[in-house]
Amino acid sequence: MTKLTHRLAKVLETLARALRRYSRDDGKVLILGGVRSGKSHHAERLASRHPHLTYVAPGLPPSAEDPEWAARVAAHRARRPGNWKTVETTDLATVLRTATHPLLIDCLGTWISRVLDEVGAWEQRKGWERRLDDRLEDFLAAWAQADVPVIAVSNEVGSGVVPATVSGRVFRDVLGALNNRVAAVSDRTVLVVAGRMLDLP
């Protein structure tokens, strides 16, 4: 009887773990990882259980001037199911506030790169820090208030060498700080390393 009880307890704990994870997947999920770690693939797999989903692409649109980037964008587009709607925008706050279906945002790293450009960080235009703070606070407020399931992909940037350029260090610092704040108001945070998903407590 003890063995049976022990086995039953293990089964129930496994079910309970699965239910907790499932319910957290219906909230806000942040998926972090390095380049080519498999983070986008895992995010898409997680999102695939939603029959209707909006894929938010905040990175640069493809162009003939950068064939390598165009090839990356094409590969991402080819993987998406036909029932997913794609929105290309840097206005993530508005997308979050007006969403009626689950969202997959891929990724916050490409978004930050464009936002830094839009606020004049690369040229160190006067007031760029304040404009950046306003954009980030608007996004974070919308993320915290979102009432649809949201998955966001972001780059884990703190494990490499210190960038040699000012722009590289600004990007790393801003994205690292943003990842911290998004994780703090997410239901689940996952780190993808070499294709393996690790739940962060």
Side-chain angles (χ1 to χ4, degrees):
M1 196 66 169
T2 308
K3 282 187 179 177
L4 181 60
T5 306
H6 182 66
R7 235 182 261 153
L8 183 59
K10 282 183 80 172
V11 169
L12 289 173
E13 178 55 33
T14 302
L15 283 171
R17 246 194 328 265
L19 285 170
R20 283 195 299 271
R21 177 174 290 180
Y22 188 85
S23 64
R24 289 189 299 157
D25 289 349
D26 273 343
K28 300 173 186 76
V29 180
L30 175 63
I31 299 182
L32 301 167
V35 174
R36 300 295 189 190
S37 62
K39 60 189 183 297
S40 292
H41 173 75
H42 281 290
E44 289 162 9
R45 187 171 57 78
L46 198 60
S48 66
R49 64 188 181 83
H50 296 293
H52 301 288
L53 180 129
T54 300
Y55 182 102
V56 187
L60 284 170
S63 71
E65 288 78 42
D66 190 345
E68 190 269 341
W69 177 251
R72 283 177 184 248
V73 172
H76 272 255
R77 285 176 176 167
R79 287 203 310 254
R80 292 175 212 158
N83 58 326
W84 287 8
K85 174 187 171 187
T86 298
V87 173
E88 295 180 354
T89 182
T90 59
D91 190 1
L92 297 186
T94 296
V95 170
L96 285 162
R97 289 190 176 105
T98 58
T100 55
H101 294 298
L103 300 173
L104 170 54
I105 302 170
D106 193 359
C107 79
L108 296 182
T110 54
W111 176 66
I112 281 294
S113 182
R114 288 189 72 186
V115 169
L116 286 168
D117 186 49
E118 289 172 4
V119 301
W122 306 138
E123 303 86 19
Q124 302 282 293
R125 287 205 311 265
K126 187 175 179 181
W128 73 265
E129 294 102 331
R130 180 186 49 76
R131 290 190 293 274
L132 175 65
D133 285 345
D134 289 346
R135 291 287 294 274
L136 296 182
E137 292 302 328
D138 193 30
F139 164 74
L140 287 162
W143 175 271
Q145 295 159 9
D147 57 5
V148 298
V150 188
I151 300 166
V153 177
S154 190
N155 301 96
E156 179 50 51
V157 290
S159 301
V161 297
V162 175
T165 63
V166 172
S167 58
R169 292 191 292 273
V170 167
F171 173 81
R172 178 203 58 181
D173 293 348
V174 170
L175 184 56
L178 178 66
N179 287 343
N180 260 299
R181 295 190 63 190
V182 173
V185 288
S186 295
D187 299 291
R188 183 182 178 199
T189 301
V190 175
L191 177 64
V192 181
V193 180
R196 304 294 181 92
M197 285 179 67
L198 305 171
D199 271 286
L200 301 179

